[in-house]
């Protein structure tokens, strides 16, 4: 099983700042099979990024993904008020599909 | 538009079974895998398995093998997840989610609204 470890656990930033979230895998993940999701309280997760760097339909270009192998990053270039949420990475290339434990992005 | 609409909240006693439904609309039901993901209160996301609505084939996470059964009824575009012998550790919101593309290796682009299952004596 591929274990995904996200850091930091909580990130406190202000609107307009840049956010950098990390996801590290216990073994190599083909970059084709790494996704990022956003989840707000009481809502289902929303797909942001797939294939490590491809934005899902309708996702603003302030969200970008990068990385390969075991280290992946989600960057939000300029935080908007609606971006404060929990973010999860996911690998979907090998079974079982696994998620990171999440990074909470909170308003400073 | 694509929608996945799940059944309502359930309260179960320990040892019972629970069955959650996920009705799909707005796309060809047999054209995309359906996954089930759960989230315990205040916790992260846990993948349970998938069903291929076309063939009925399934793949379950080892943790749930022997306790989970995923089925579908193509005539009403609905997928089901049944979990047996539930305990308090199974208290969670259960989500169904659709593959972005028809593949066993695909992220999830549409999600149901979630079904809260509470296990309590």
């Amino acid at each position: 099983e591929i274990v995904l470890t996200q850091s930091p656990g909580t990130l406190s930033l202000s609107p307009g700042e840049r956010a950098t979230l990390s996801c590290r895998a216990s073994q190599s993940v083909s970059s084709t099979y790494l996704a990022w999701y956003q989840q707000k309280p009481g809502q289902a997760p929303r797909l942001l990024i797939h294939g490590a760097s491809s934005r899902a339909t309708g996702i603003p270009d302030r969200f970008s993904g990068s990385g390969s192998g075991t280290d992946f990053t989600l960057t939000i270039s300029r935080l908007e008020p609606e971006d404060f949420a929990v973010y999860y990475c996911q690998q979907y290339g090998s079974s079982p599909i696994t998620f990171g434990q999440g990074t909470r992005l909170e308003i400073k | 538009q694509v929608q996945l609409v799940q059944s309502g909240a359930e309260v179960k006693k320990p040892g019972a079974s629970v069955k959650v439904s996920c009705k799909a609309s707005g796309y060809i039901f047999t054209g995309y895998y359906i996954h089930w993901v759960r989230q315990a209160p205040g916790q992260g996301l846990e993948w349970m398995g998938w069903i291929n609505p076309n063939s009925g084939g399934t793949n379950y996470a080892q943790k749930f093998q022997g306790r989970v059964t995923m089925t579908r009824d193509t005539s009403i575009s609905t997928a089901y997840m049944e979990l047996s012998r539930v305990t308090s550790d199974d208290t969670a919101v259960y989500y169904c989610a659709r593959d972005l593309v028809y593949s066993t290796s695909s992220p999830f682009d549409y999600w149901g609204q979630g079904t809260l299952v509470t296990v309590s004596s």
Side-chain angles (χ1 to χ4, degrees):
Chain A
E1 170 175 329
I2 297 177
V3 176
L4 300 178
T5 301
Q6 294 185 238
S7 61
T10 302
L11 186 57
S12 300
L13 293 170
S14 301
E17 290 193 292
R18 180 185 186 90
T20 303
L21 286 67
S22 174
C23 175
R24 177 163 290 177
S26 60
Q27 54 188 280
S28 185
V29 175
S30 166
S31 62
T32 310
Y33 301 133
L34 194 288
W36 290 91
Y37 296 83
Q38 176 193 69
Q39 187 178 34
K40 296 180 179 179
Q43 296 184 16
R46 176 173 73 143
L47 178 65
L48 298 175
I49 300 287
H50 59 93
S53 60
S54 298
R55 272 187 302 277
T57 302
I59 300 303
D61 60 8
R62 65 180 181 274
F63 290 91
S64 62
S66 63
S68 63
T70 60
D71 288 293
F72 298 89
T73 300
L74 173 70
T75 301
I76 310 172
S77 59
R78 283 202 348 231
L79 286 166
E80 298 286 344
E82 62 267 27
D83 298 337
F84 292 91
V86 179
Y87 292 83
Y88 295 95
C89 58
Q90 176 206 36
Q91 70 79 23
Y92 49 90
S94 66
S95 188
I97 292 170
T98 51
F99 293 88
Q101 83 281 13
T103 289
R104 180 177 304 277
L105 179 55
E106 64 177 26
I107 299 176
K108 189 173 183 179
Chain B
Q1 73 283 21
V2 173
Q3 279 194 303
L4 299 174
V5 179
Q6 299 183 223
S7 49
E10 302 262 13
V11 179
K12 295 293 181 181
K13 294 196 182 304
S17 294
V18 64
K19 190 170 186 177
V20 179
S21 67
C22 172
K23 182 170 178 59
S25 62
Y27 72 98
I28 298 173
F29 178 63
T30 52
Y32 298 82
Y33 286 67
I34 292 287
H35 297 253
W36 290 90
V37 176
R38 76 178 187 178
Q39 186 170 38
Q43 303 301 308
L45 303 167
E46 182 175 33
W47 178 76
M48 300 179 70
W50 56 249
I51 182 167
N52 178 340
N54 189 37
S55 66
T58 55
N59 179 31
Y60 304 143
Q62 182 142 13
K63 174 177 179 176
F64 300 101
Q65 290 271 4
R67 276 211 308 142
V68 71
T69 304
M70 297 178 189
T71 57
R72 93 291 190 217
D73 184 339
T74 57
S75 69
I76 55 171
S77 300
T78 300
Y80 302 92
M81 186 284 300
E82 184 170 22
L83 189 63
S84 63
R85 303 189 304 278
V86 297
T87 71
S88 57
D89 290 342
D90 296 313
T91 293
V93 174
Y94 290 75
Y95 293 102
C96 61
R98 194 198 79 163
D99 267 358
L100 177 64
V101 295
Y102 183 71
S103 169
T104 57
S105 298
S106 172
F108 312 152
D109 63 343
Y110 286 95
W111 295 65
Q113 83 276 19
T115 296
L116 175 61
V117 174
T118 302
V119 182
S120 173
S121 54

